[in-house]
mmCIF file of all heavy atoms in Angstrom:
data_model
loop_
_atom_site.group_PDB
_atom_site.id
_atom_site.type_symbol
_atom_site.label_atom_id
_atom_site.label_comp_id
_atom_site.label_asym_id
_atom_site.label_seq_id
_atom_site.Cartn_x
_atom_site.Cartn_y
_atom_site.Cartn_z
ATOM 1 N N LEU A 1 11.079 -97.858 -15.636
ATOM 2 C CA LEU A 1 12.132 -97.755 -14.543
ATOM 3 C C LEU A 1 11.517 -97.411 -13.134
ATOM 4 O O LEU A 1 11.725 -97.922 -12.130
ATOM 5 C CB LEU A 1 13.252 -96.835 -14.839
ATOM 6 C CG LEU A 1 14.210 -97.306 -15.975
ATOM 7 C CD1 LEU A 1 15.135 -96.203 -16.327
ATOM 8 C CD2 LEU A 1 14.928 -98.615 -15.536
ATOM 9 N N GLU A 2 10.608 -96.492 -13.330
ATOM 10 C CA GLU A 2 9.858 -96.074 -12.084
ATOM 11 C C GLU A 2 9.032 -97.251 -11.467
ATOM 12 O O GLU A 2 8.990 -97.407 -10.265
ATOM 13 C CB GLU A 2 9.033 -94.843 -12.369
ATOM 14 C CG GLU A 2 9.707 -93.579 -12.663
ATOM 15 C CD GLU A 2 10.644 -93.093 -11.560
ATOM 16 O OE1 GLU A 2 10.230 -93.127 -10.381
ATOM 17 O OE2 GLU A 2 11.803 -92.641 -11.888
ATOM 18 N N TYR A 3 8.298 -97.912 -12.351
ATOM 19 C CA TYR A 3 7.587 -99.030 -11.830
ATOM 20 C C TYR A 3 8.400 -100.175 -11.228
ATOM 21 O O TYR A 3 8.116 -100.794 -10.327
ATOM 22 C CB TYR A 3 6.698 -99.685 -12.923
ATOM 23 C CG TYR A 3 5.443 -98.945 -13.320
ATOM 24 C CD1 TYR A 3 5.323 -98.373 -14.557
ATOM 25 C CD2 TYR A 3 4.387 -98.618 -12.270
ATOM 26 C CE1 TYR A 3 4.051 -97.586 -14.911
ATOM 27 C CE2 TYR A 3 3.318 -97.909 -12.667
ATOM 28 C CZ TYR A 3 3.104 -97.477 -13.953
ATOM 29 O OH TYR A 3 2.062 -96.542 -14.306
ATOM 30 N N LEU A 4 9.507 -100.403 -11.945
ATOM 31 C CA LEU A 4 10.486 -101.468 -11.413
ATOM 32 C C LEU A 4 11.053 -100.993 -10.107
ATOM 33 O O LEU A 4 11.298 -101.971 -9.283
ATOM 34 C CB LEU A 4 11.585 -101.620 -12.493
ATOM 35 C CG LEU A 4 11.136 -102.275 -13.805
ATOM 36 C CD1 LEU A 4 12.328 -102.316 -14.731
ATOM 37 C CD2 LEU A 4 10.676 -103.752 -13.551
ATOM 38 N N ASP A 5 11.292 -99.849 -9.813
ATOM 39 C CA ASP A 5 11.850 -99.356 -8.604
ATOM 40 C C ASP A 5 10.814 -99.639 -7.512
ATOM 41 O O ASP A 5 11.122 -100.153 -6.375
ATOM 42 C CB ASP A 5 12.180 -97.833 -8.641
ATOM 43 C CG ASP A 5 12.720 -97.345 -7.335
ATOM 44 O OD1 ASP A 5 13.780 -97.944 -6.859
ATOM 45 O OD2 ASP A 5 12.355 -96.427 -6.748
ATOM 46 N N VAL A 6 9.519 -99.352 -7.820
ATOM 47 C CA VAL A 6 8.436 -99.671 -6.790
ATOM 48 C C VAL A 6 8.411 -101.207 -6.542
ATOM 49 O O VAL A 6 8.264 -101.653 -5.399
ATOM 50 C CB VAL A 6 7.161 -99.076 -7.348
ATOM 51 C CG1 VAL A 6 5.918 -99.586 -6.340
ATOM 52 C CG2 VAL A 6 7.073 -97.605 -7.254
ATOM 53 N N ILE A 7 8.388 -101.994 -7.604
ATOM 54 C CA ILE A 7 8.285 -103.454 -7.499
ATOM 55 C C ILE A 7 9.469 -104.003 -6.718
ATOM 56 O O ILE A 7 9.356 -104.793 -5.730
ATOM 57 C CB ILE A 7 8.288 -104.149 -8.938
ATOM 58 C CG1 ILE A 7 6.947 -103.835 -9.544
ATOM 59 C CG2 ILE A 7 8.438 -105.587 -8.735
ATOM 60 C CD1 ILE A 7 6.928 -104.174 -10.974
ATOM 61 N N GLU A 8 10.713 -103.527 -6.919
ATOM 62 C CA GLU A 8 11.823 -103.930 -6.191
ATOM 63 C C GLU A 8 11.709 -103.586 -4.790
ATOM 64 O O GLU A 8 12.034 -104.339 -3.878
ATOM 65 C CB GLU A 8 13.070 -103.355 -6.783
ATOM 66 C CG GLU A 8 14.379 -103.927 -6.287
ATOM 67 C CD GLU A 8 15.580 -103.517 -7.030
ATOM 68 O OE1 GLU A 8 15.983 -102.334 -6.893
ATOM 69 O OE2 GLU A 8 16.101 -104.261 -7.923
ATOM 70 N N THR A 9 11.235 -102.364 -4.447
ATOM 71 C CA THR A 9 11.070 -101.992 -2.993
ATOM 72 C C THR A 9 10.066 -102.923 -2.324
ATOM 73 O O THR A 9 10.349 -103.323 -1.092
ATOM 74 C CB THR A 9 10.647 -100.428 -2.999
ATOM 75 O OG1 THR A 9 11.690 -99.654 -3.665
ATOM 76 C CG2 THR A 9 10.416 -100.034 -1.555
ATOM 77 N N LEU A 10 8.969 -103.141 -2.977
ATOM 78 C CA LEU A 10 7.901 -104.028 -2.343
ATOM 79 C C LEU A 10 8.484 -105.432 -2.149
ATOM 80 O O LEU A 10 8.217 -106.028 -1.081
ATOM 81 C CB LEU A 10 6.701 -104.071 -3.262
ATOM 82 C CG LEU A 10 5.879 -102.816 -3.404
ATOM 83 C CD1 LEU A 10 4.836 -102.961 -4.407
ATOM 84 C CD2 LEU A 10 5.261 -102.475 -1.968
ATOM 85 N N LEU A 11 9.232 -105.841 -3.112
ATOM 86 C CA LEU A 11 9.810 -107.283 -2.956
ATOM 87 C C LEU A 11 10.971 -107.347 -1.849
ATOM 88 O O LEU A 11 10.975 -108.231 -1.137
ATOM 89 C CB LEU A 11 10.457 -107.776 -4.224
ATOM 90 C CG LEU A 11 9.616 -108.160 -5.380
ATOM 91 C CD1 LEU A 11 10.331 -108.436 -6.671
ATOM 92 C CD2 LEU A 11 8.766 -109.328 -4.900
ATOM 93 N N ARG A 12 11.640 -106.281 -1.627
ATOM 94 C CA ARG A 12 12.593 -106.227 -0.538
ATOM 95 C C ARG A 12 11.819 -106.236 0.827
ATOM 96 O O ARG A 12 12.316 -106.862 1.724
ATOM 97 C CB ARG A 12 13.426 -104.923 -0.632
ATOM 98 C CG ARG A 12 14.441 -105.039 -1.703
ATOM 99 C CD ARG A 12 15.145 -103.765 -1.904
ATOM 100 N NE ARG A 12 16.288 -103.909 -2.870
ATOM 101 C CZ ARG A 12 17.148 -102.999 -3.174
ATOM 102 N NH1 ARG A 12 17.169 -101.843 -2.546
ATOM 103 N NH2 ARG A 12 18.069 -103.250 -4.069
ATOM 104 N N GLN A 13 10.743 -105.458 0.843
ATOM 105 C CA GLN A 13 9.929 -105.478 2.018
ATOM 106 C C GLN A 13 9.331 -106.747 2.292
ATOM 107 O O GLN A 13 9.343 -107.316 3.509
ATOM 108 C CB GLN A 13 8.836 -104.363 2.030
ATOM 109 C CG GLN A 13 9.373 -103.019 2.024
ATOM 110 C CD GLN A 13 8.283 -101.948 1.702
ATOM 111 O OE1 GLN A 13 7.151 -102.321 1.381
ATOM 112 N NE2 GLN A 13 8.680 -100.677 1.860
ATOM 113 N N ARG A 14 8.782 -107.419 1.327
ATOM 114 C CA ARG A 14 8.011 -108.766 1.510
ATOM 115 C C ARG A 14 9.051 -109.802 1.910
ATOM 116 O O ARG A 14 8.741 -110.734 2.632
ATOM 117 C CB ARG A 14 7.431 -109.072 0.104
ATOM 118 C CG ARG A 14 6.741 -110.438 0.198
ATOM 119 C CD ARG A 14 6.190 -110.929 -1.095
ATOM 120 N NE ARG A 14 5.052 -110.097 -1.473
ATOM 121 C CZ ARG A 14 4.529 -110.278 -2.665
ATOM 122 N NH1 ARG A 14 4.857 -111.131 -3.445
ATOM 123 N NH2 ARG A 14 3.518 -109.351 -3.028
ATOM 124 N N THR A 15 10.224 -109.807 1.340
ATOM 125 C CA THR A 15 11.204 -110.964 1.584
ATOM 126 C C THR A 15 12.232 -110.638 2.741
ATOM 127 O O THR A 15 12.857 -111.501 3.269
ATOM 128 C CB THR A 15 12.094 -111.121 0.337
ATOM 129 O OG1 THR A 15 12.955 -110.037 0.048
ATOM 130 C CG2 THR A 15 11.281 -111.543 -0.951
ATOM 131 N N GLY A 16 12.127 -109.324 3.136
ATOM 132 C CA GLY A 16 13.137 -109.065 4.247
ATOM 133 C C GLY A 16 14.585 -108.975 3.805
ATOM 134 O O GLY A 16 15.477 -108.891 4.714
ATOM 135 N N ARG A 17 14.817 -108.964 2.491
ATOM 136 C CA ARG A 17 16.303 -108.972 1.976
ATOM 137 C C ARG A 17 16.489 -107.550 1.453
ATOM 138 O O ARG A 17 16.001 -107.232 0.442
ATOM 139 C CB ARG A 17 16.436 -109.976 0.918
ATOM 140 C CG ARG A 17 16.278 -111.394 1.436
ATOM 141 C CD ARG A 17 16.304 -112.381 0.294
ATOM 142 N NE ARG A 17 17.444 -112.197 -0.580
ATOM 143 C CZ ARG A 17 17.555 -112.677 -1.767
ATOM 144 N NH1 ARG A 17 16.569 -113.424 -2.338
ATOM 145 N NH2 ARG A 17 18.690 -112.408 -2.491
ATOM 146 N N ALA A 18 17.257 -106.784 2.235
ATOM 147 C CA ALA A 18 17.535 -105.415 1.863
ATOM 148 C C ALA A 18 18.363 -105.185 0.574
ATOM 149 O O ALA A 18 18.336 -104.235 -0.077
ATOM 150 C CB ALA A 18 18.212 -104.609 3.030
ATOM 151 N N ASN A 19 19.177 -106.283 0.273
ATOM 152 C CA ASN A 19 20.031 -106.080 -0.985
ATOM 153 C C ASN A 19 19.420 -106.847 -2.152
ATOM 154 O O ASN A 19 20.007 -107.047 -3.098
ATOM 155 C CB ASN A 19 21.297 -106.630 -0.713
ATOM 156 C CG ASN A 19 21.405 -108.109 -0.265
ATOM 157 O OD1 ASN A 19 20.274 -108.619 0.009
ATOM 158 N ND2 ASN A 19 22.462 -108.721 -0.138
ATOM 159 N N LEU A 20 18.098 -107.334 -2.068
ATOM 160 C CA LEU A 20 17.509 -108.027 -3.296
ATOM 161 C C LEU A 20 17.503 -107.104 -4.536
ATOM 162 O O LEU A 20 17.116 -105.987 -4.447
ATOM 163 C CB LEU A 20 16.070 -108.420 -2.814
ATOM 164 C CG LEU A 20 15.295 -109.226 -3.964
ATOM 165 C CD1 LEU A 20 14.766 -110.442 -3.343
ATOM 166 C CD2 LEU A 20 14.289 -108.302 -4.553
ATOM 167 N N VAL A 21 17.755 -107.694 -5.709
ATOM 168 C CA VAL A 21 17.649 -107.028 -6.920
ATOM 169 C C VAL A 21 16.626 -107.959 -7.707
ATOM 170 O O VAL A 21 16.483 -109.113 -7.511
ATOM 171 C CB VAL A 21 18.898 -106.851 -7.694
ATOM 172 C CG1 VAL A 21 19.757 -105.788 -6.975
ATOM 173 C CG2 VAL A 21 19.707 -108.095 -7.856
ATOM 174 N N LEU A 22 16.074 -107.401 -8.675
ATOM 175 C CA LEU A 22 14.997 -108.050 -9.491
ATOM 176 C C LEU A 22 15.474 -109.330 -10.152
ATOM 177 O O LEU A 22 14.747 -110.321 -10.308
ATOM 178 C CB LEU A 22 14.413 -107.116 -10.474
ATOM 179 C CG LEU A 22 13.585 -105.995 -10.021
ATOM 180 C CD1 LEU A 22 13.146 -105.071 -11.073
ATOM 181 C CD2 LEU A 22 12.408 -106.500 -9.188
ATOM 182 N N CYS A 23 16.810 -109.349 -10.533
ATOM 183 C CA CYS A 23 17.228 -110.644 -11.165
ATOM 184 C C CYS A 23 17.366 -111.772 -10.083
ATOM 185 O O CYS A 23 17.441 -112.911 -10.468
ATOM 186 C CB CYS A 23 18.588 -110.418 -11.806
ATOM 187 S SG CYS A 23 20.016 -110.047 -10.712
ATOM 188 N N ASP A 24 17.340 -111.458 -8.770
ATOM 189 C CA ASP A 24 17.299 -112.574 -7.774
ATOM 190 C C ASP A 24 15.941 -113.124 -7.702
ATOM 191 O O ASP A 24 15.872 -114.257 -7.273
ATOM 192 C CB ASP A 24 17.660 -111.893 -6.456
ATOM 193 C CG ASP A 24 19.075 -111.374 -6.357
ATOM 194 O OD1 ASP A 24 20.049 -111.970 -7.077
ATOM 195 O OD2 ASP A 24 19.448 -110.579 -5.506
ATOM 196 N N TYR A 25 14.933 -112.393 -8.013
ATOM 197 C CA TYR A 25 13.526 -112.779 -7.827
ATOM 198 C C TYR A 25 13.000 -113.473 -9.244
ATOM 199 O O TYR A 25 12.277 -114.502 -9.101
ATOM 200 C CB TYR A 25 12.605 -111.666 -7.474
ATOM 201 C CG TYR A 25 11.327 -112.013 -7.089
ATOM 202 C CD1 TYR A 25 11.042 -112.612 -5.907
ATOM 203 C CD2 TYR A 25 10.253 -111.870 -7.983
ATOM 204 C CE1 TYR A 25 9.621 -112.931 -5.527
ATOM 205 C CE2 TYR A 25 8.913 -112.186 -7.650
ATOM 206 C CZ TYR A 25 8.589 -112.684 -6.493
ATOM 207 O OH TYR A 25 7.347 -113.118 -6.114
ATOM 208 N N PHE A 26 13.265 -112.897 -10.318
ATOM 209 C CA PHE A 26 12.774 -113.431 -11.545
ATOM 210 C C PHE A 26 13.642 -114.336 -12.299
ATOM 211 O O PHE A 26 14.895 -114.161 -12.235
ATOM 212 C CB PHE A 26 12.416 -112.175 -12.527
ATOM 213 C CG PHE A 26 11.230 -111.423 -11.997
ATOM 214 C CD1 PHE A 26 11.527 -110.186 -11.286
ATOM 215 C CD2 PHE A 26 10.021 -111.722 -12.168
ATOM 216 C CE1 PHE A 26 10.457 -109.493 -10.921
ATOM 217 C CE2 PHE A 26 8.906 -111.037 -11.779
ATOM 218 C CZ PHE A 26 9.112 -109.831 -11.123
ATOM 219 N N ASP A 27 13.096 -115.343 -12.807
ATOM 220 C CA ASP A 27 13.904 -116.388 -13.563
ATOM 221 C C ASP A 27 14.173 -115.951 -14.929
ATOM 222 O O ASP A 27 15.331 -116.310 -15.378
ATOM 223 C CB ASP A 27 13.060 -117.829 -13.617
ATOM 224 C CG ASP A 27 12.848 -118.299 -12.229
ATOM 225 O OD1 ASP A 27 13.883 -118.541 -11.484
ATOM 226 O OD2 ASP A 27 11.607 -118.594 -11.939
ATOM 227 N N LEU A 28 13.343 -115.333 -15.580
ATOM 228 C CA LEU A 28 13.531 -114.767 -16.958
ATOM 229 C C LEU A 28 13.099 -113.372 -17.063
ATOM 230 O O LEU A 28 11.993 -112.984 -16.506
ATOM 231 C CB LEU A 28 12.692 -115.629 -17.947
ATOM 232 C CG LEU A 28 13.055 -117.137 -17.946
ATOM 233 C CD1 LEU A 28 11.972 -117.922 -18.758
ATOM 234 C CD2 LEU A 28 14.407 -117.502 -18.525
ATOM 235 N N ILE A 29 13.903 -112.582 -17.779
ATOM 236 C CA ILE A 29 13.475 -111.082 -17.917
ATOM 237 C C ILE A 29 13.649 -110.783 -19.473
ATOM 238 O O ILE A 29 14.716 -111.115 -20.036
ATOM 239 C CB ILE A 29 14.416 -110.200 -17.101
ATOM 240 C CG1 ILE A 29 14.318 -110.596 -15.622
ATOM 241 C CG2 ILE A 29 14.038 -108.733 -17.305
ATOM 242 C CD1 ILE A 29 15.339 -109.837 -14.712
ATOM 243 N N GLY A 30 12.648 -110.068 -19.984
ATOM 244 C CA GLY A 30 12.817 -109.888 -21.384
ATOM 245 C C GLY A 30 11.959 -108.498 -21.650
ATOM 246 O O GLY A 30 11.199 -108.066 -20.883
ATOM 247 N N GLY A 31 12.310 -107.917 -22.779
ATOM 248 C CA GLY A 31 11.508 -106.718 -23.143
ATOM 249 C C GLY A 31 11.678 -106.320 -24.592
ATOM 250 O O GLY A 31 12.432 -107.115 -25.421
ATOM 251 N N THR A 32 11.071 -105.309 -24.983
ATOM 252 C CA THR A 32 11.139 -104.881 -26.431
ATOM 253 C C THR A 32 11.668 -103.402 -26.429
ATOM 254 O O THR A 32 11.412 -102.686 -25.481
ATOM 255 C CB THR A 32 9.726 -104.907 -27.095
ATOM 256 O OG1 THR A 32 8.855 -104.125 -26.273
ATOM 257 C CG2 THR A 32 9.194 -106.243 -27.206
ATOM 258 N N SER A 33 12.362 -103.128 -27.471
ATOM 259 C CA SER A 33 12.926 -101.894 -27.725
ATOM 260 C C SER A 33 13.727 -101.359 -26.601
ATOM 261 O O SER A 33 14.607 -102.076 -26.092
ATOM 262 C CB SER A 33 11.663 -100.859 -27.986
ATOM 263 O OG SER A 33 12.139 -99.563 -28.416
ATOM 264 N N THR A 34 13.422 -100.187 -25.976
ATOM 265 C CA THR A 34 14.299 -99.630 -24.885
ATOM 266 C C THR A 34 14.203 -100.594 -23.587
ATOM 267 O O THR A 34 15.240 -100.727 -23.009
ATOM 268 C CB THR A 34 13.644 -98.248 -24.441
ATOM 269 O OG1 THR A 34 13.803 -97.446 -25.605
ATOM 270 C CG2 THR A 34 14.421 -97.672 -23.313
ATOM 271 N N ASP A 35 13.008 -101.156 -23.655
ATOM 272 C CA ASP A 35 12.862 -102.238 -22.425
ATOM 273 C C ASP A 35 13.739 -103.329 -22.614
ATOM 274 O O ASP A 35 14.004 -104.093 -21.499
ATOM 275 C CB ASP A 35 11.412 -102.511 -22.166
ATOM 276 C CG ASP A 35 10.618 -101.345 -21.745
ATOM 277 O OD1 ASP A 35 11.230 -100.475 -21.145
ATOM 278 O OD2 ASP A 35 9.394 -101.353 -21.865
ATOM 279 N N SER A 36 14.171 -103.735 -23.656
ATOM 280 C CA SER A 36 15.107 -104.892 -23.933
ATOM 281 C C SER A 36 16.411 -104.418 -23.246
ATOM 282 O O SER A 36 17.146 -105.310 -22.756
ATOM 283 C CB SER A 36 15.174 -105.206 -25.360
ATOM 284 O OG SER A 36 15.816 -104.196 -26.128
ATOM 285 N N ILE A 37 16.886 -103.173 -23.448
ATOM 286 C CA ILE A 37 18.174 -102.748 -22.771
ATOM 287 C C ILE A 37 17.999 -102.739 -21.288
ATOM 288 O O ILE A 37 18.896 -103.220 -20.541
ATOM 289 C CB ILE A 37 18.419 -101.406 -23.311
ATOM 290 C CG1 ILE A 37 18.745 -101.404 -24.895
ATOM 291 C CG2 ILE A 37 19.663 -100.833 -22.621
ATOM 292 C CD1 ILE A 37 18.824 -100.017 -25.515
ATOM 293 N N ILE A 38 16.837 -102.302 -20.798
ATOM 294 C CA ILE A 38 16.617 -102.448 -19.335
ATOM 295 C C ILE A 38 16.535 -103.805 -18.848
ATOM 296 O O ILE A 38 17.216 -104.148 -17.839
ATOM 297 C CB ILE A 38 15.295 -101.710 -19.018
ATOM 298 C CG1 ILE A 38 15.332 -100.212 -19.345
ATOM 299 C CG2 ILE A 38 14.907 -101.871 -17.538
ATOM 300 C CD1 ILE A 38 13.992 -99.468 -19.293
ATOM 301 N N ALA A 39 15.924 -104.735 -19.635
ATOM 302 C CA ALA A 39 15.905 -106.110 -19.236
ATOM 303 C C ALA A 39 17.218 -106.729 -19.211
ATOM 304 O O ALA A 39 17.547 -107.558 -18.311
ATOM 305 C CB ALA A 39 15.000 -106.865 -20.210
ATOM 306 N N ALA A 40 18.092 -106.422 -20.082
ATOM 307 C CA ALA A 40 19.510 -107.017 -20.138
ATOM 308 C C ALA A 40 20.232 -106.489 -18.893
ATOM 309 O O ALA A 40 20.921 -107.189 -18.292
ATOM 310 C CB ALA A 40 20.196 -106.569 -21.416
ATOM 311 N N ALA A 41 20.127 -105.232 -18.576
ATOM 312 C CA ALA A 41 20.687 -104.647 -17.430
ATOM 313 C C ALA A 41 20.234 -105.337 -16.059
ATOM 314 O O ALA A 41 20.981 -105.571 -15.198
ATOM 315 C CB ALA A 41 20.571 -103.191 -17.355
ATOM 316 N N LEU A 42 18.947 -105.573 -16.070
ATOM 317 C CA LEU A 42 18.343 -106.193 -14.861
ATOM 318 C C LEU A 42 18.883 -107.624 -14.739
ATOM 319 O O LEU A 42 19.211 -108.079 -13.653
ATOM 320 C CB LEU A 42 16.847 -106.102 -14.910
ATOM 321 C CG LEU A 42 16.056 -104.850 -14.733
ATOM 322 C CD1 LEU A 42 14.635 -104.988 -15.035
ATOM 323 C CD2 LEU A 42 16.298 -104.405 -13.253
ATOM 324 N N ALA A 43 18.837 -108.357 -15.855
ATOM 325 C CA ALA A 43 19.302 -109.717 -15.796
ATOM 326 C C ALA A 43 20.740 -109.896 -15.384
ATOM 327 O O ALA A 43 21.027 -110.858 -14.800
ATOM 328 C CB ALA A 43 19.041 -110.380 -17.240
ATOM 329 N N CYS A 44 21.451 -108.902 -15.760
ATOM 330 C CA CYS A 44 22.893 -108.964 -15.308
ATOM 331 C C CYS A 44 23.069 -108.300 -13.811
ATOM 332 O O CYS A 44 24.246 -108.465 -13.382
ATOM 333 C CB CYS A 44 23.739 -108.102 -16.297
ATOM 334 S SG CYS A 44 23.819 -108.877 -17.901
ATOM 335 N N GLY A 45 22.066 -107.841 -13.311
ATOM 336 C CA GLY A 45 22.134 -107.437 -11.914
ATOM 337 C C GLY A 45 22.818 -105.931 -11.932
ATOM 338 O O GLY A 45 23.352 -105.522 -10.973
ATOM 339 N N LEU A 46 22.810 -105.227 -13.035
ATOM 340 C CA LEU A 46 23.341 -103.846 -13.058
ATOM 341 C C LEU A 46 22.476 -102.777 -12.488
ATOM 342 O O LEU A 46 23.084 -101.737 -12.131
ATOM 343 C CB LEU A 46 23.877 -103.544 -14.538
ATOM 344 C CG LEU A 46 24.890 -104.446 -15.225
ATOM 345 C CD1 LEU A 46 24.978 -104.083 -16.704
ATOM 346 C CD2 LEU A 46 26.141 -104.520 -14.401
#
């Protein structure tokens, strides 16, 4: 989650879109174990 927050911040700066979320940038999101729950939340924009 901490890494994703940094990635999202960098993508917002790069694209100039202040409301960008990771599901807007990535086509497919997946994970294992706990990260699969995080991936599902990201994919839904939660």
Side-chain angles (χ1 to χ4, degrees):
L1 289 173
E2 293 297 322
Y3 283 120
L4 292 173
D5 185 48
V6 171
I7 292 169
E8 192 171 74
T9 301
L10 291 172
L11 287 172
R12 286 178 176 182
Q13 291 171 353
R14 180 186 292 178
T15 62
R17 295 175 51 197
N19 61 347
L20 180 130
V21 290
L22 292 174
C23 65
D24 295 334
Y25 186 79
F26 291 98
D27 297 304
L28 302 167
I29 303 173
T32 58
S33 188
T34 300
D35 288 339
S36 66
I37 297 168
I38 295 169
L42 288 172
C44 294
L46 298 178

